Amino acid sequence: NNFLPLTNEDTNICTLFFVDPIAGEAVKAFNDTLKNANKNVQDYIGPENPTEKDLIRALACAMNNETVIIGSYQKYITNEKQQEIIKQVLEIAKKRILISLLSPYDLINYPEVSTTMAVYGPTKETMQSTAEIILGQIKAQGKLPVKIE
């Protein structure tokens, strides 16, 4: 299933991002773009290295919303705790959209997700554009320069 773009019925959205503080500022632009499009967004921007407390908040967000948008922020080595939390959220989410914030190769870790995007770096501009694509306000024109298998 491809859940893009979101429809008018997709009003209750959970966004989950586990990022460093600089990327967190960019993620706020993503959430603001969704909110400005009259979406009811429950957002959680957690630390890059999430804890059990972050897992509880993420699961609650996913359980309370129809659509879940998750950003995976894998740097040079795999952040196993972040990956574990994302997988647990994906198990309970109804409509799932995964955004790889750094490397498109991270998408390989989540084969259960059919709606994915890769942004190659979370800046305010890329995150705002990503939200606009999800909303259907602009069309995604990029193509991955690598093969994901």
Side-chain angles (χ1 to χ4, degrees):
N1 293 332
N2 185 346
F3 298 115
L4 296 181
L6 295 179
T7 66
N8 290 335
E9 289 79 39
D10 296 315
T11 55
N12 295 323
I13 301 168
C14 165
T15 65
L16 300 169
F17 294 89
F18 300 102
V19 295
D20 63 37
I22 294 171
E25 288 301 312
V27 168
K28 288 179 186 174
F30 177 86
N31 290 327
D32 289 344
T33 302
L34 294 177
K35 291 174 185 176
N36 290 338
N38 297 317
K39 300 297 182 184
N40 179 24
V41 178
Q42 180 181 353
D43 57 87
Y44 183 61
I45 302 172
E48 185 177 353
N49 296 303
T51 64
E52 191 69 24
K53 175 183 153 193
D54 298 306
L55 169 63
I56 292 167
R57 290 186 70 178
L59 291 174
C61 184
M63 284 189 259
N64 292 327
N65 293 279
E66 179 76 17
T67 302
V68 178
I69 301 172
I70 305 174
S72 181
Y73 192 70
Q74 302 292 321
K75 287 188 176 174
Y76 313 106
I77 59 171
T78 301
N79 184 324
E80 291 178 8
K81 186 63 177 171
Q82 186 182 125
Q83 200 174 64
E84 177 185 318
I85 288 176
I86 290 172
K87 286 192 171 282
Q88 287 185 46
V89 168
L90 291 173
E91 286 179 19
I92 65 168
K94 295 173 186 80
K95 291 184 178 180
R96 312 174 293 193
I97 300 170
L98 179 74
I99 304 168
S100 174
L101 298 171
L102 293 172
S103 169
Y105 292 107
D106 189 31
L107 298 173
I108 295 168
N109 297 313
Y110 309 99
E112 65 272 53
V113 182
S114 60
T115 305
T116 61
M117 299 176 73
V119 298
Y120 289 92
T123 65
K124 287 183 180 181
E125 294 79 15
T126 59
M127 295 310 296
Q128 182 177 351
S129 295
T130 300
E132 290 170 350
I133 291 167
I134 289 171
L135 292 166
Q137 295 172 348
I138 61 174
K139 184 176 172 127
Q141 297 180 10
K143 185 171 180 163
L144 289 177
V146 295
K147 189 167 180 139
I148 305 295
E149 294 183 41

